Amino acid sequence: MHTRLDTFIMSKIMPAMKNSVNREKVIIIFASIFISVALISWSQEVQEEAKPFIPDSLLKDSLEVVESFQLDSLFYIADSIDYNVEKEIIQLSGNTSVTYHSSIINADTIAIDLKKEQAFAKGKSYLQDGSQNMLGRDISYDLQTKWGMVTSGASKFDKGYYYGSEIRKIDDDIYDVDDGVFTTCNALHPHFYIKSKELRFYRDDKFVARPVAFYVNHFPVFGFPFATFTLKRGRQTGILVPSPGWNNYRGKYIENIAYYIAYRDHADITLALDYYELTGWELGIRSKYKQRYVHNGFFNAILQKNVLDPRISQYEWNIKNRHHHDFGNKTTFDMNLNFVSSKRVWEGSENLDERLAEQITSRMEFKRPLFNSTLSITANYTDDLENQTKDITLPSVSLILPSRPIYEIFVDENANIPEDVWWGNFSYSYRVKATHEGDINDSTATIWDVLYDDTLGPDTTYATGNQHNAGVKHSASLSYSYKLKGWLNLSQSISGNEAWFDRDKNDVKFVRGMDYYSSSTLSFNLYGMRTIPGLYISAIRHIITPRMSFTYRPDFSDNDRFYSFGGINVSSAAKSRKVSFSLGNKWQLKLAATKNIKERKINDFFNITSSISYDYEQDNGFSDISHSLTLKPNKISLGIVDISTTPKGSFSQATYDLGVNGWDPRNWELGVTNWNFNITSALKLSGDAGYVDYFPLPKNDFVTGDFFSSDSVDTDTERTITTLEELDELDKEEKSWAFTVSHIYKLNKAQYAINDYNSNLRMSVSARVTKNWSISYDNYIDLEADELVSHNFTITRDLHCWKMTFKYTKQGEYWNYKFQLFNIKLPDALKFSTSDNS
């Protein structure tokens, strides 16, 4: 037995004891060992070179020896090194460590037979090649035959771990594994695993096995005579894992009997079949595609055969498509299509929104910059599934030129315009819109009825038939604004509309209508400021805005013969000369900085506006006095408590007695005629609770890192936050419990109508009862009807590498439960579920 100093002496004199050919053999054999075992470890790439392991004590003893090791590119260290000159065998024993380039191997003993060109690592062995690691008991390699073997090997690959009693290299990229085991569980004794007696591994491609058995707690659950699994990263063409289950409506079923096709890096297609014992089958095609900066979207289509009884069946279908295309220069095309044969296609759906859907909408839109504005071409189709009516807009073309200075038409855009010229305050705006719209009330309408045919209904009117209208509308305005003495805002404007219709209500073809009006407005602002040192609300600003306007509109009552549809209309009001007055009050707050929050402002914290008008063309031309108010305190955080509320409201006061009793306010009889209040408020309490794991689960060697250097880490334990959504999810995870209650209060009271009152309460609570158990509950209560509209209850159990969830939903007479058990790392491939609804 030699000391460590003997080790270095032996390593220095060995080249003198053997010719240079043997020395080259040593290097070649070691290189072959590392290349072979690195392939067996199923590594994908070497990310960075690992530093050679050299104890600090050796660095202190002799720097010259270390330098000589670096020149050789091969480093070996052991408690003792024996070299048999006659047999040409090098024996490394005790705390053996050999480094070659970026690879490190540690073992109890390592023997190198230079004559036979063979190498053996005995005892518990560890290999690190870059960021990849492998453990084994014994390693053998033959340079001539390129045959290698690892006994009791284990390696980490992608999202799981692989084990084998014996791993043999039989070709450059082919390996045989005896008693192969795969699992995603990182426990020392995995809770589950997939095991095969014979397994052949094709590096960077796939592995095939026979037979295959699935074990839970070392108990076989089910098996297959043959199986193949891909080892390629990313999207791969192949067969997906189906999901069996049971449903009261559909009976026993198996879903997602599917074949997945990956097309390059931009698209994929899934062909799937779902079979249901009681209701029939469903055939579907799903496709997603995305090319950065060009287009993205998806296409889904399903065809169902629903068995109503043994002799009667019917077919239903549903097509969904979403597409976004960017042509550059802010030119885009968006399409969102949803067509369905009938609502029966969603009868067995577990998606509550689909089951309760009353109408579906499809839309297409093309946008393109034009004349410093945007040209928009849209099409809409709405299918009312409940009333079996349809509305279509095909197409609708609009171009809006916002308010611009009129001098831009006559003056070069690069010209220097003085700010005080009188003609610089004139501005114009223009808008044009062309629309074709159809109102389809006949449930038996054909495709031509939907597109353009007009058909009278059973009562000889279009109300029960199909009616189409088309028209073009132009709108233009010319305005002048000026600020007198720097505080009084003056504005004048004249606006007009012209519309062309395909016909009017008297069935006269290609008719024209128009309207116009003028207005004048005066307004100014009064400001008041109050600072409050030492308080959380450090300053309050009050803004008062009086506004008075006069509007003149001629008599256009003859325009009532024209249709009004899709924004194509003209005014049919009688002559009016109206003076309006309004008074606006606005309060703004400045909040002082705290320990954790910077100074901030709340604009429009409280608004209240009152207005009244008088029309000289009316006998009693006073309108009601109307008031509107809003309160926007935003979100207030007080430790574990968050409070937010947004009240909005308006009400009107009758003024019909003003003219009768004269202008003395003491004789006015004001009564509230209309109410409209909408108050949304929410209260949230949340916090964290610590959990202690008194009985931690022992982990495998890849997680504990007992054999790994400090440069080797388990990447699964790290989490990189790249989006705001992931940050929000992380924040939710950190909250061990949360309670939220929100209240929506609506009150509408009209003078000649029944009161409309709504009061809804929503509550939700979630908590981690223990480290592994969590529950959540939420409900929706209609306080007006004193009715529990819906509620959901969810239980989640963390099973280490698996997760179990149970969710119960009830809405009215409808109820549904769903039980799921899925693997955390492979949720799509390893999933079991069952559900029931009624």
Side-chain angles (χ1 to χ4, degrees):
M1 183 68 66
H2 300 280
T3 63
R4 285 189 177 269
L5 183 58
D6 296 332
T7 300
F8 287 106
I9 296 175
M10 291 290 293
S11 65
K12 294 291 288 183
I13 66 173
M14 273 176 30
M17 298 173 61
K18 191 66 178 174
N19 56 33
S20 59
V21 176
N22 287 338
R23 182 173 178 272
E24 293 296 328
K25 284 186 178 181
V26 175
I27 297 177
I28 293 173
I29 291 176
F30 270 118
S32 301
I33 294 174
F34 289 121
I35 293 173
S36 174
V37 182
L39 295 181
I40 296 176
S41 66
W42 309 329
S43 62
Q44 299 298 308
E45 60 181 354
V46 178
Q47 298 179 355
E48 63 177 1
E49 291 191 356
K51 298 179 181 179
F53 175 73
I54 301 175
D56 294 339
S57 60
L58 299 184
L59 293 175
K60 294 178 182 179
D61 290 341
S62 174
L63 293 177
E64 296 181 358
V65 175
V66 176
E67 291 176 358
S68 66
F69 281 7
Q70 293 175 346
L71 291 175
D72 291 340
S73 299
L74 177 65
F75 310 88
Y76 46 93
I77 299 172
D79 289 341
S80 66
I81 298 178
D82 292 322
Y83 178 65
N84 190 317
V85 179
E86 294 179 359
K87 295 183 178 180
E88 299 184 18
I89 296 177
I90 301 174
Q91 184 76 31
L92 307 178
S93 303
N95 297 320
T96 301
S97 177
V98 180
T99 301
Y100 181 76
H101 291 299
S102 63
S103 301
I104 300 173
I105 186 170
N106 296 333
D108 293 337
T109 62
I110 297 177
I112 304 171
D113 191 329
L114 300 179
K115 185 179 296 184
K116 295 181 179 179
E117 297 184 354
Q118 295 177 347
F120 307 91
K122 296 294 184 179
K124 194 165 188 179
S125 306
Y126 156 67
L127 172 77
Q128 177 183 334
D129 184 50
S131 62
Q132 301 295 324
N133 307 290
M134 185 176 183
L135 297 174
R137 191 179 63 190
D138 298 325
I139 299 175
S140 303
Y141 186 76
D142 189 289
L143 180 60
Q144 293 181 348
T145 62
K146 296 183 180 180
W147 182 90
M149 183 177 68
V150 178
T151 304
S152 299
S155 178
K156 184 177 186 298
F157 178 81
D158 201 4
K159 296 181 180 180
Y161 305 90
Y162 293 85
Y163 304 90
S165 62
E166 187 174 284
I167 304 174
R168 297 180 301 278
K169 180 183 178 182
I170 61 175
D171 202 348
D172 288 342
D173 296 322
I174 302 176
Y175 305 87
D176 281 346
V177 182
D178 292 344
D179 298 323
V181 171
F182 163 75
T183 181
T184 61
C185 183
N186 61 10
L188 182 60
H189 302 287
H191 297 97
F192 88 101
Y193 51 87
I194 298 173
K195 186 175 182 180
S196 175
K197 189 69 176 176
E198 298 178 359
L199 184 149
R200 175 158 290 183
F201 168 73
Y202 297 85
R203 186 170 64 90
D204 296 334
D205 186 9
K206 62 181 178 294
F207 68 79
V208 294
R210 63 178 186 184
V212 175
F214 186 89
Y215 284 77
V216 176
N217 285 339
H218 306 288
F219 182 80
V221 178
F222 59 84
F224 298 98
F226 174 84
T228 179
F229 302 90
T230 180
L231 295 177
K232 297 179 181 179
R233 297 194 177 190
R235 304 175 305 119
Q236 301 296 327
T237 298
I239 299 174
L240 301 182
V241 179
S243 301
W246 178 84
N247 183 287
N248 184 55
Y249 176 76
R250 292 172 167 174
K252 299 175 184 178
Y253 65 81
I254 180 169
E255 294 180 333
N256 203 39
I257 306 173
Y259 187 76
Y260 178 83
I261 304 172
Y263 178 73
R264 297 182 180 177
D265 295 330
H266 312 306
D268 58 34
I269 301 174
T270 303
L271 304 175
L273 172 66
D274 301 339
Y275 176 76
Y276 304 96
E277 179 186 21
L278 302 179
T279 60
W281 49 262
E282 177 178 298
L283 181 65
I285 177 172
R286 302 187 296 269
S287 176
K288 293 186 296 183
Y289 53 90
K290 181 176 182 179
Q291 187 171 1
R292 185 176 295 183
Y293 310 124
V294 180
H295 58 73
N296 63 79
F298 69 84
F299 175 82
N300 295 341
I302 61 173
L303 174 65
Q304 290 181 353
K305 180 182 179 181
N306 294 325
V307 179
L308 304 180
D309 63 50
R311 294 174 298 176
I312 301 176
S313 61
Q314 61 185 21
Y315 292 90
E316 303 289 347
W317 54 267
N318 179 215
I319 297 175
K320 293 182 180 180
N321 177 230
R322 181 174 297 170
H323 178 79
H324 170 78
H325 204 110
D326 193 337
F327 297 95
N329 193 27
K330 298 183 179 180
T331 301
T332 60
F333 174 74
D334 290 278
M335 179 171 60
N336 191 352
L337 305 180
N338 191 0
F339 299 106
V340 65
S341 58
S342 73
K343 194 175 179 179
R344 290 188 297 269
V345 73
W346 295 319
E347 283 184 351
S349 174
E350 296 178 359
N351 188 329
L352 194 60
D353 293 334
E354 289 183 343
R355 288 176 57 90
L356 302 180
E358 296 183 356
Q359 66 178 23
I360 56 175
T361 300
S362 299
R363 177 179 176 84
M364 293 189 293
E365 181 175 19
F366 174 80
K367 290 184 178 180
R368 177 184 177 85
L370 184 65
F371 302 132
N372 294 324
S373 183
T374 302
L375 173 67
S376 177
I377 304 175
T378 63
N380 289 277
Y381 177 78
T382 301
D383 190 353
D384 191 329
L385 304 175
E386 196 70 23
N387 300 314
Q388 296 186 349
T389 62
K390 302 173 180 64
D391 294 312
I392 186 172
T393 301
L394 183 69
S396 177
V397 183
S398 65
L399 176 66
I400 302 175
L401 298 179
S403 181
R404 304 287 297 177
I406 199 171
Y407 64 76
E408 291 185 351
I409 301 176
F410 311 102
V411 180
D412 186 81
E413 60 181 6
N414 297 323
N416 187 13
I417 306 300
E419 296 182 359
D420 56 349
V421 294
W422 64 271
W423 45 268
N425 295 318
F426 283 93
S427 60
Y428 73 97
S429 65
Y430 174 76
R431 159 175 196 167
V432 60
K433 185 174 185 179
T435 297
H436 162 260
E437 189 173 281
D439 184 16
I440 315 302
N441 299 305
D442 184 4
S443 60
T444 62
T446 65
I447 182 64
W448 312 118
D449 295 330
V450 173
L451 292 178
Y452 62 85
D453 272 350
D454 292 324
T455 308
L456 294 175
D459 59 353
T460 67
T461 67
Y462 291 119
T464 56
N466 310 312
Q467 180 180 3
H468 293 263
N469 295 98
V472 181
K473 180 179 179 180
H474 302 267
S475 301
S477 68
L478 179 65
S479 61
Y480 173 78
S481 60
Y482 181 69
K483 182 170 286 189
L484 182 63
K485 301 296 183 180
W487 64 274
L488 182 62
N489 301 307
L490 306 174
S491 65
Q492 303 276 339
S493 68
I494 180 170
S495 303
N497 302 295
E498 181 192 44
W500 287 85
F501 303 86
D502 61 335
R503 69 182 188 279
D504 62 11
K505 296 179 181 178
N506 300 322
D507 210 24
V508 179
K509 306 296 184 181
F510 302 107
V511 291
R512 169 184 172 273
M514 65 171 296
D515 67 68
Y516 62 88
Y517 66 94
S518 64
S519 65
S520 303
T521 305
L522 293 87
S523 66
F524 59 92
N525 293 326
L526 297 175
Y527 297 90
M529 186 77 175
R530 177 67 181 271
T531 59
I532 312 174
L535 295 181
Y536 180 62
I537 300 177
S538 60
I540 301 176
R541 183 165 73 167
H542 182 200
I543 305 174
I544 301 176
T545 306
R547 183 186 303 271
M548 185 173 66
S549 63
F550 174 76
T551 304
Y552 171 74
R553 185 189 300 271
D555 184 9
F556 293 109
S557 56
D558 290 342
N559 287 342
D560 59 357
R561 64 190 178 94
F562 299 116
Y563 288 105
S564 177
F565 58 92
I568 309 298
N569 56 10
V570 289
S571 174
S572 60
K575 180 180 179 180
S576 66
R577 293 178 296 148
K578 185 180 295 184
V579 176
S580 302
F581 176 79
S582 67
L583 183 66
N585 289 270
K586 182 188 300 182
W587 285 266
Q588 299 175 340
L589 303 181
K590 179 185 288 187
L591 306 181
T594 62
K595 182 177 180 181
N596 300 321
I597 303 176
K598 298 181 180 179
E599 181 183 82
R600 60 192 180 102
K601 299 177 181 179
I602 302 179
N603 294 326
D604 307 337
F605 174 79
F606 180 65
N607 288 347
I608 181 169
T609 302
S610 302
S611 61
I612 189 173
S613 64
Y614 180 79
D615 191 343
Y616 288 94
E617 298 295 331
Q618 303 293 329
D619 294 336
N620 185 11
F622 280 103
S623 69
D624 291 350
I625 302 175
S626 62
H627 311 273
S628 64
L629 57 90
T630 60
L631 178 64
K632 189 176 67 175
N634 289 341
K635 181 179 177 181
I636 301 175
S637 298
L638 304 172
I640 64 172
V641 181
D642 295 333
I643 303 174
S644 62
T645 180
T646 309
K648 297 180 180 179
S650 64
F651 62 94
S652 301
Q653 294 179 279
T655 58
Y656 49 82
D657 287 335
L658 296 184
V660 177
N661 295 329
W663 294 94
D664 186 354
R666 292 173 297 180
N667 296 326
W668 292 357
E669 296 181 5
L670 301 179
V672 177
T673 58
N674 297 286
W675 293 86
N676 181 8
F677 286 101
N678 187 344
I679 302 176
T680 302
S681 56
L683 172 66
K684 180 178 180 180
L685 293 86
S686 60
D688 298 323
Y691 298 96
V692 178
D693 192 357
Y694 291 101
F695 305 99
L697 188 68
K699 304 301 176 83
N700 62 29
D701 292 333
F702 291 98
V703 178
T704 58
D706 293 340
F707 299 91
F708 306 143
S709 66
S710 59
D711 294 333
S712 177
V713 296
D714 184 6
T715 55
D716 283 349
T717 61
E718 297 182 347
R719 180 173 183 179
T720 303
I721 304 300
T722 58
T723 65
L724 291 177
E725 291 77 7
E726 291 179 355
L727 185 61
D728 293 339
E729 290 298 324
L730 184 62
D731 180 66
K732 292 178 182 178
E733 293 175 3
E734 292 177 349
K735 301 297 183 181
S736 299
W737 62 271
F739 172 76
T740 303
V741 56
S742 61
H743 182 224
I744 300 176
Y745 177 84
K746 296 181 180 179
L747 175 61
N748 299 304
K749 178 182 182 298
Q751 185 176 3
Y752 304 108
I754 301 174
N755 295 345
D756 183 11
Y757 161 72
N758 289 295
S759 181
N760 301 322
L761 184 67
R762 294 177 180 267
M763 293 187 295
S764 65
V765 59
S766 61
R768 288 180 58 191
V769 182
T770 67
K771 183 177 180 296
N772 297 322
W773 285 96
S774 61
I775 60 173
S776 64
Y777 174 79
D778 62 89
N779 60 32
Y780 173 40
I781 303 174
D782 187 343
L783 296 179
E784 179 189 8
D786 193 20
E787 177 187 1
L788 179 63
V789 179
S790 66
H791 62 133
N792 302 284
F793 182 75
T794 305
I795 301 176
T796 303
R797 174 68 162 92
D798 190 345
L799 299 170
H800 188 246
C801 48
W802 290 71
K803 183 167 287 188
M804 178 189 70
T805 62
F806 175 83
K807 184 175 182 180
Y808 174 82
T809 301
K810 190 175 190 304
Q811 182 174 23
E813 297 298 325
Y814 172 82
W815 60 267
N816 168 269
Y817 81 81
K818 188 172 185 178
F819 175 84
Q820 276 193 328
L821 178 66
F822 60 91
N823 183 269
I824 295 175
K825 293 186 177 181
L826 301 171
D828 296 327
L830 299 177
K831 177 177 66 175
F832 307 91
S833 65
T834 182
S835 62
D836 192 11
N837 59 61
S838 175

